[in-house]
Amino acid sequence: MGNLIKTNYGLIYNDDGSLCVTVREDDIPFPGVKSFAVEEGTKNLLITNGWSTQGTKITDMSQLPSQPPVTPVIASYVPGGGNWQDLCQYATSITLAPGESITFSAWVYAKYATNYFNFNASVNGVNSGLGSYQNLQIGWNYIEGHWTNNSGASQTLTSIRLEAGNTANWRNGDNEAWGCNYQLELKPFATSFVEGTRQDGRFYIPINKLAIDPAKDNWVVAYWKKPIATHDGTLTNGDNSSCFGRYVSDYSVGYIIWGKRALGETLRLAVVWADNTISIVTKPIDLNWYFNNWHFEVVRKTDTAIEYFVDGIKQLEIALSKQIQNFDTGLFVGGHANDTSHNSLYSNLFIGKAKDTQGNLIWTDKFIQEVYNAKKPFAVPPRIPVI
């Protein structure tokens, strides 16, 4: 499928070149297979100097028994005793409209398997638990808590805190605990951590790395996708699409775009022709079916048509009655060249030829349906070359 361009957009990725994945365990479409994220920029609502801690802030990570996965400011606490102590506390004032959610995440170091960590928030002066974690592995652990305003009226978040405790050693004085990389997000799911504001995510493969010509070859793009929201966190605004080529209004360069249409409850498929015109087809969808669920999506180009399948069923088709415009730009997953702010999770991306060397169609309608019905990942190498 060609190499990936490794650009640091604040997402989590491995230095050995393996594909970036999300950190949430429920973002797994298949056993043993994680997804990678195409997400909007995220503002951390917490600031480094706003914390009230019960101990000292440690910036020299060598003071710890081992390294946490990421390295912004860390807070520690060595309490004098008791069942529970605040590891850190943060005062804020955030208004949450009805239905809005917050996610509070952190990395914590468990010295013992019996360590406990609790997330708590004060909303309209009332304490609410966001999540409780125990029986963690000894060492660094990622944890997150969630709270949604289901009251029907606006609520004000006035503080959050992370508590640490232990059932035995904690009360006997051997009771060190550490936490770092605190992140508060005004959304119901956690994104990859950065200090401050993370840039918009983008997953892009240049035209010279694709090993296919989108205008001339018979090709397939297939993947499993979980659309979470459009660029502003809603389900109706902004496109939730993928695209070959560069999206321009004068149709002077080629693009083929598919996915959810902007400002509507429809799927769309579009192609630009060599005569600087465009063909667009659409189909109504149920947004509650499409969003927050895993789907198998396939776009197939043959000599006669471009077709868009979702969950094994052909949704849209454009007959190739003209020559396709030439491309100067490659493949964008989760947006296009001018729009990269979509919230989606992807797994098992496949880009390849639709026919074998003898000219026989491999990705038939029947095969696409069988792959969807099997609900199993493709046999892909564990690492993808990155440049």
Side-chain angles (χ1 to χ4, degrees):
M1 59 172 285
N3 294 341
L4 303 181
I5 297 298
K6 183 176 181 179
T7 303
N8 184 3
Y9 290 96
L11 299 174
I12 292 176
Y13 59 84
N14 298 316
D15 289 337
D16 63 8
S18 55
L19 190 63
C20 62
V21 298
T22 58
V23 294
R24 288 187 56 171
E25 290 301 317
D26 58 349
D27 290 337
I28 301 176
F30 312 103
V33 176
K34 290 188 177 182
S35 56
F36 64 92
V38 177
E39 299 172 317
E40 65 177 321
T42 298
K43 182 177 182 180
N44 184 6
L45 300 179
L46 310 177
I47 57 176
T48 299
N49 60 5
W51 287 99
S52 171
T53 66
Q54 300 296 322
T56 58
K57 292 182 178 180
I58 299 174
T59 56
D60 181 2
M61 304 305 292
S62 66
Q63 297 180 41
L64 295 174
S66 64
Q67 298 282 337
V70 282
T71 57
V73 171
I74 180 168
S76 72
Y77 181 60
V78 183
N83 293 339
W84 290 97
Q85 298 288 344
D86 286 347
L87 184 65
C88 55
Q89 185 166 327
Y90 189 92
T92 185
S93 179
I94 299 173
T95 300
L96 301 173
E100 282 193 312
S101 301
I102 57 171
T103 295
F104 182 25
S105 59
W107 284 90
V108 294
Y109 189 93
K111 189 173 182 179
Y112 300 99
T114 52
N115 276 123
Y116 282 70
F117 294 92
N118 283 344
F119 284 128
N120 288 282
S122 180
V123 182
N124 279 13
V126 178
N127 183 65
S128 298
L130 305 184
S132 179
Y133 292 84
Q134 56 183 301
N135 300 321
L136 301 175
Q137 67 178 12
I138 296 174
W140 288 102
N141 298 263
Y142 172 83
I143 59 176
E144 63 183 55
H146 308 273
W147 186 84
T148 300
N149 179 11
N150 294 319
S151 68
S154 294
Q155 302 270 293
T156 301
L157 174 70
T158 55
S159 70
I160 60 172
R161 68 182 187 273
L162 175 60
E163 298 177 327
N166 183 281
T167 56
N169 304 84
W170 192 261
R171 283 171 284 180
N172 295 330
D174 188 10
N175 41 26
E176 299 178 30
W178 296 272
C180 67
N181 305 322
Y182 304 113
Q183 174 92 337
L184 180 66
E185 301 172 68
L186 189 60
K187 58 176 58 178
F189 57 95
T191 54
S192 307
F193 178 84
V194 291
E195 282 285 307
T197 301
R198 181 169 62 76
Q199 298 175 354
D200 288 347
R202 180 198 296 250
F203 186 80
Y204 171 64
I205 304 176
I207 189 72
N208 64 331
K209 302 297 182 181
L210 284 172
I212 59 173
D213 184 332
K216 299 176 181 178
D217 290 335
N218 294 290
W219 50 260
V220 164
V221 175
Y223 48 80
W224 285 85
K225 173 184 179 181
K226 184 180 182 181
I228 296 175
T230 49
H231 75 282
D232 61 353
T234 69
L235 304 186
T236 56
N237 204 354
D239 280 66
N240 200 284
S241 307
S242 297
C243 181
F244 271 116
R246 185 156 49 96
Y247 190 89
V248 296
S249 58
D250 60 7
Y251 311 137
S252 59
V253 295
Y255 68 82
I256 300 170
I257 194 166
W258 62 91
K260 181 194 170 293
R261 187 178 178 89
L263 301 176
E265 299 182 9
T266 60
L267 294 177
R268 62 105 174 255
L269 174 67
V271 59
V272 170
W273 306 109
D275 61 4
N276 292 11
T277 61
I278 187 172
S279 291
I280 303 174
V281 291
T282 63
K283 178 181 180 179
I285 58 169
D286 178 356
L287 296 182
N288 291 321
W289 160 78
Y290 187 65
F291 284 95
N292 296 302
N293 295 299
W294 281 101
H295 299 284
F296 181 53
E297 298 199 359
V298 178
V299 177
R300 179 181 69 191
K301 177 191 173 292
T302 63
D303 295 324
T304 58
I306 299 175
E307 299 152 290
Y308 177 29
F309 297 76
V310 179
D311 294 346
I313 299 174
K314 185 188 297 185
Q315 306 289 335
L316 296 165
E317 178 178 358
I318 295 178
L320 296 184
S321 58
K322 305 180 188 179
Q323 181 179 345
I324 295 177
Q325 182 67 281
N326 290 323
F327 290 77
D328 66 357
T329 309
L331 174 65
F332 295 91
V333 178
H336 52 74
N338 304 322
D339 190 356
T340 63
S341 54
H342 303 292
N343 298 317
S344 297
L345 302 173
Y346 290 85
S347 181
N348 302 101
L349 175 65
F350 174 88
I351 305 169
K353 299 294 182 65
K355 296 183 178 182
D356 61 21
T357 55
Q358 286 75 42
N360 301 310
L361 185 64
I362 304 171
W363 285 78
T364 62
D365 291 18
K366 180 181 179 182
F367 178 72
I368 293 171
Q369 184 70 56
E370 288 175 350
V371 173
Y372 169 68
N373 290 341
K375 292 182 171 62
K376 294 181 180 179
F378 302 118
V380 295
R383 295 183 180 181
I384 298 175
V386 177
I387 60 173

